[in-house]
Amino acid sequence: MTRLFNDPAAFADEALEGFAAAHRRWVRPVTGGVVRAEATPAGQVAVVIGGGSGHYPAFSGLVGRGLAHGAAVGNVFASPSARQIHSVARAAHGGAGVLLMYGNYAGDVLHFGQAAERLAADGIDTRAFAVADDISSAGPDESAKRRGIAGDLPVFKAAAAAAEQGLSLDEVLGVAERAGARTRSFGIAFSGCTLPGADHPLFTVPEARMAVGLGIHGEPGIGEEALPTADEAARLLVETLLKELPEDVEGPRGQRAAVILNGLGSVKYEELFVVYRKVAALLGEAGVEIVDPEVGELVTSFDMAGVSLTLTWLDDRLEELWRAPADTPAYRKGALGSPEPETEQAPATTRGQDTGAPEAPAVPPASDASREAAGTVLAALDAVARVVDTHADELGRIDAVAGDGDHGIGMRRGSTAAHRAAGEAHGLGAGAGTVLARAADAWADKAGGTSGALWGTILRSLGTALGDQESPDARRVADGVTEASAAVRRLGGAEVGDKTMVDVLVPFADALAAATADGLSLTDAWDRAATAATGAAAGTADLLPRRGRARPHAEKSLGTPDAGAHSLALITRAVHGALLNH
């Protein structure tokens, strides 16, 4: 477990602050993460990677010459927000465009996609690529749904080495796509991981058993087997990966592969070496030539006791890029010459003092009616934060049935930050729309992940509908909720029946719209809609998840409601209480 921490909610920020202080030779902190200490050379594509904390040395430890130009770092096991990614990418941009790279998780896909849109709006040519190497999370016919695990490293490195050679943005993206298509990973674990401040792991493994086919966010494995010897574990890893080769690789004999035996957090290096001796022997027997193997902790999961094996099947070009030198805090290979002298030294900024993201603007003018409504909004967000805090442990338990168990933690971070930001805006005299917009950004920034992106979208849609000038009436609020429902479906791609928050949001929005059309007051209409939401949330227990981290463990979730749907239902009822008092 994680023993050394202060406030668990501040753990990720404090870890990043300490990392940057310890590695000034390589990195400098910017809002949302770190970038190289020296500015990206003019005309070089900037490769910006990122993901949640808890995976060190991914992602911040891989920033430096020969690898990433910047890393956006989210909260524990939660993707960075679009604003954080946008900030890091702007700071890393060298004039030739940005390639955003991340593991294939719903929250990362949403936030990096939104960041790419914002960068494009800024006039920065941007591409995005998700690594999807975990063969246990989806079959070959659905490889685009696979998770990104330790295969992040060889794919990131291939693209970054290509950028160092001066290739164009589209050429660097092409290299990433080639490396991604030729990378496969598979993992096993003997115990789950425990997040800072938690008193139990996200999942457990029975005595003398191991979990097989698991991700790096505390998700349970897709199955269990008897605890193996080191040689038996090596054989399982190798044989599983050799069963699925890239389409243009007819067989392993005569092929070259970059090999990574990755420790997930608490398997010691000596244990990894014992396993690797057998991995190397088995690959040799299969006729595979191993190129520059890596054995160690490269993409971790806090203190998880487990290992994963990654094979990247190389051609001449990919081998050149895999062998290329790199110099980062946590990954070094070969020798690099001295960097080109800077005509202007990059500023030695501290976290939150860079030029990546603008300061929050002054609040726009608001009518007296909208400022009064903002008080009701603030009361509603206070009710949201309180109900989430009360039920956070319950939400985590529900989420852990088939997911990674961090829904309650993320919702607590997001709702608390949203209430705080709303209070600050309200204190400055902001109207209802601005209060909601500030709350939306704070929720997305602090929660990260899928829920952060979606709740940010919900609050922002409501804020846009209410504005800062009009006196919000029931119909206007209902229209805002309807737009929020549509925006969440556009952004996340989920529909009713997928076992997500959409299964509650859609019937809630529809019931609210119908009730206000019938002439009910906002309080009465919200009451009717919240009742519909509660029933819809309970109904998700009978569904199989078709999206998100629970999808690989769909059968496990039968009989348990979706955590996101349940939290939304709780929130709608809590907001009704706030409306009764205002």
Side-chain angles (χ1 to χ4, degrees):
M1 61 184 297
T2 308
R3 296 175 176 85
L4 295 174
F5 56 88
N6 298 306
D7 178 357
F11 183 87
D13 286 343
E14 291 181 349
L16 187 62
E17 182 181 348
F19 164 79
H23 296 100
R24 296 177 190 272
R25 170 186 155 193
W26 292 275
V27 302
R28 60 185 175 95
V30 297
T31 299
V34 294
V35 296
R36 292 186 189 179
E38 293 85 21
T40 299
Q44 186 175 113
V45 171
V47 174
V48 174
I49 63 177
S53 298
H55 305 302
Y56 191 84
F59 297 87
S60 54
L62 303 179
V63 174
R65 289 194 298 152
L67 240 161
H69 297 76
V73 183
N75 220 311
V76 177
F77 288 178
S79 65
S81 71
R83 284 209 308 174
Q84 291 168 324
I85 300 161
H86 176 260
S87 162
V88 173
R90 282 182 59 89
H93 184 226
V98 173
L99 175 60
L100 302 176
M101 301 187 72
Y102 46 93
N104 189 35
Y105 296 89
D108 294 278
V109 172
L110 294 179
H111 286 290
F112 277 90
Q114 289 178 323
E117 293 174 357
R118 296 184 188 185
L119 290 164
D122 292 343
I124 297 175
D125 201 8
T126 306
R127 305 288 186 274
F129 182 78
V131 180
D133 57 302
D134 176 22
I135 67 171
S136 69
S137 53
D141 55 336
E142 293 185 307
S143 59
K145 295 181 179 179
R146 288 176 168 172
R147 302 175 290 211
I149 53 174
D152 283 355
L153 173 61
V155 182
F156 291 169
K157 187 175 186 305
E164 292 278 357
Q165 294 176 349
L167 272 64
S168 69
L169 179 57
D170 284 332
E171 289 171 326
V172 173
L173 173 61
V175 167
E177 292 171 339
R178 176 71 170 166
R182 285 178 152 246
T183 298
R184 306 284 190 276
S185 298
F186 182 72
I188 59 176
F190 317 108
S191 71
C193 54
T194 304
L195 302 187
D199 58 4
H200 59 274
L202 292 177
F203 73 91
T204 57
V205 181
E207 192 73 23
R209 304 283 289 176
M210 72 171 175
V212 298
L214 66 159
I216 55 172
H217 294 94
E219 310 98 320
I222 60 172
E224 288 181 4
E225 295 186 11
L227 188 67
T229 65
D231 284 0
E232 289 168 345
R235 187 174 297 278
L236 173 65
L237 294 169
V238 171
E239 290 182 350
T240 301
L241 289 180
L242 291 185
K243 289 177 183 176
E244 186 191 318
L245 302 177
E247 291 183 359
D248 55 350
V249 175
E250 294 183 0
R253 189 158 300 280
Q255 298 294 330
R256 293 162 289 167
V259 178
I260 298 174
L261 184 65
N262 175 60
L264 286 165
S266 63
V267 174
K268 305 310 296 179
Y269 273 68
E270 286 86 348
E271 296 175 271
L272 292 174
F273 293 139
V274 171
V275 175
Y276 183 74
R277 55 174 274 287
K278 188 63 173 180
V279 166
L282 291 170
L283 289 173
E285 292 171 9
V288 178
E289 178 186 346
I290 298 173
V291 178
D292 280 6
E294 296 286 349
V295 180
E297 293 184 350
L298 296 159
V299 181
T300 61
S301 183
F302 261 115
D303 61 337
M304 185 185 292
V307 299
S308 64
L309 181 65
T310 297
L311 301 180
T312 297
W313 299 94
L314 302 173
D315 54 23
D316 290 344
R317 179 69 172 128
L318 290 177
E319 180 174 349
E320 175 194 358
L321 299 171
W322 175 242
R323 290 185 182 274
D327 183 23
T328 78
Y331 185 88
R332 298 166 203 171
K333 176 181 286 189
L336 284 161
S338 299
E340 293 295 322
E342 297 288 339
T343 56
E344 181 179 342
Q345 180 65 31
T349 60
T350 58
R351 187 168 171 81
Q353 295 179 325
D354 60 286
T355 59
E359 293 293 323
V363 298
S367 68
D368 290 342
S370 186
R371 284 197 292 268
E372 182 179 353
T376 303
V377 170
L378 182 60
L381 288 170
D382 178 54
V384 170
R386 289 175 183 272
V387 76
V388 167
D389 185 63
T390 299
H391 293 273
D393 291 344
E394 174 195 4
L395 295 173
R397 286 193 297 271
I398 292 173
D399 190 36
V401 171
D404 55 13
D406 68 348
H407 182 70
I409 295 171
M411 290 291 289
R412 178 184 277 151
R413 291 185 196 126
S415 59
T416 300
H419 178 237
R420 184 182 301 115
E424 292 171 357
H426 182 251
L428 294 173
T434 295
V435 166
L436 282 163
R438 298 285 175 88
D441 286 341
W443 193 314
D445 285 351
K446 289 301 181 182
T450 305
S451 68
L454 298 182
W455 273 101
T457 296
I458 289 170
L459 297 182
R460 185 167 289 280
S461 297
L462 277 169
T464 300
L466 299 189
D468 289 328
Q469 298 302 320
E470 302 295 331
S471 176
D473 57 17
R475 193 61 178 269
R476 187 180 295 274
V477 172
D479 288 345
V481 172
T482 297
E483 174 51 35
S485 172
V488 164
R489 282 176 284 164
R490 285 195 302 270
L491 180 62
E495 293 294 344
V496 172
D498 286 345
K499 196 165 187 172
T500 69
M501 71 183 302
V502 167
D503 289 294
V504 170
L505 184 56
V506 169
F508 173 76
D510 290 347
L512 186 63
T516 55
D518 289 343
L520 270 65
S521 68
L522 176 59
T523 303
D524 290 341
W526 197 283
D527 181 31
R528 181 187 294 182
T531 299
T534 300
T540 62
D542 300 326
L543 300 175
L544 288 172
R546 296 199 289 253
R547 290 183 173 271
R549 292 181 190 170
R551 181 186 55 79
H553 315 284
E555 297 293 337
K556 290 184 178 181
S557 77
L558 270 180
T560 303
D562 176 70
H566 184 54
S567 62
L568 175 55
L570 291 171
I571 285 170
T572 62
R573 181 51 64 191
V575 170
H576 176 251
L579 293 175
L580 282 173
N581 294 324
H582 287 75

